[in-house]
Amino acid sequence: MTTTSLSYETVVGLEVHVELHTKTKIFCGCTTSFGAPPNTNTCPVCLGHPGVLPVLNKQALEYAVKAAMALNCTIGTESKFDRKNYFYPDSPKAYQISQFDKPIGENGWIDIEVNGAHKRIGITRLHLEEDAGKLTHMAGGFGSLVDFNRVGTPLVEIVSEPDLRSPEEAYAYLEKLKAIMLYCDVSDVKMEEGSLRCDANVSIRPAGDTKLGTRTELKNMNSFRGVQKGLEYEVSRQIDIVENGGMIVQETRRWDEAIGRTITMRSKEEAHDYRYFPDPDLIKMELSAGWIEQIKSTIPELPDARKAKYVSVYNLPDYDAQVITASKQLADFFDECLQFTSDAKSASNWIMGDLLGYLNANSLELPDVKVTGQGLGQMIGLIEKGTISSKIAKTVFKTMIETGKAAQAIVEEQGLVQISDEGAILAVVDQVIASNPQSVADFKAGKDKAIGFLVGQIMKETKGKANPGLVNKLILDRLSE
């Protein structure tokens, strides 16, 4: 199947649902906790029983306004809720409370970077709505089971402009969006728990053309990598159809991770008529300028600003700053580390190498390990003072991750203090030289690699504790005599 073409341009727009991490649902007092037994987090309000009245969760509204401002949206002074009418088994009311013509925020943007190129992606709107339930289809098509626990969980839907031109840009957009939501602390954006869900509208058009092509909607992409793979396949599929004389059909397709293909779900010849009308049970919301400014003051330093600071103030390479600020937890860890060492680049190297390497190898998140930014900063300080070598620090750091002990305590308990006594090291140097006459002869014959072998033997004899710089100096002094 075709994977790339120079004669076509990809056009992608994303619709992202982000679950707000309020303690209770948007219009009732039921808990939003994840993992409860099916249909236990429900009440007459979220189940839509006759005669009940919804009451807006103020925290959900505040989170929505905060998220919209962090995405550079314009916040309207008036907003309202509407009923989006459709019948589906996971929606007990046969309508969804959402927003139509007066969303929380409009005309925002996110800046992304792909392969060193910067690009601004427009955001059409951010609106507040309630979630639906969860359907589980039984094997063999004998029926479906519905869990209403998720019904009424507060969501913001974030709709992008069709500004994305590749699956890689879509991936970068989602990563940046996730980071911003985490920095603002409005959602945990855990895709595996449904806290972030993404649908994509994708089409192709001849390069240089400005008219949008017929689009398909992709669903069931359950990871950022799944979004990228699904888009790659769908673009390739559409190009093959067009190049073979066919026409793209407007439809909804789902991404099947197991077989690596998109599959038709339903045709979509025309836009759905949801018959929106204002919800009569919820009053119009008037958002005062003072209240909006109060929420704005709670928005922390966001990823782009933090990245710029790391580059300009700490002289970090752009790549290091990008990796660290992609996660608020990691950036906070880095900032804490710099309270105990002034070597920002060394801190960055340890975080990006040993820390992230350990987390990835063990499928862990930063909160799952016991090491702290303070602990890493203090360990780097021991290296700077010559108390331990960089090699010994590897052992110390692994112990810190697994136990949470301070570096100084680990060094003392395990007797890892670096040997910097010239006399003690010189004795080992003389011993190694005497035991390896061939390597000495090789070095004097111009074979520089021999020095590496001799240094290795000295480090072996001292169990890695000898000061490497001093070892090199002393052995060169002895061999030059």
Side-chain angles (χ1 to χ4, degrees), residues 112-119 318:
I112 64 169
E113 181 180 347
V114 177
N115 298 324
H118 295 264
K119 185 174 182 180
D318 191 80

Side-chain angles (χ1 to χ4, degrees), residues 77 85 115 123 131 168 265 327 333 343 372 376:
T77 55
N85 295 275
N115 298 324
I123 293 175
D131 203 354
E168 292 77 17
M265 290 178 65
S327 162
F333 184 97
D343 192 343
T372 64
L376 175 58

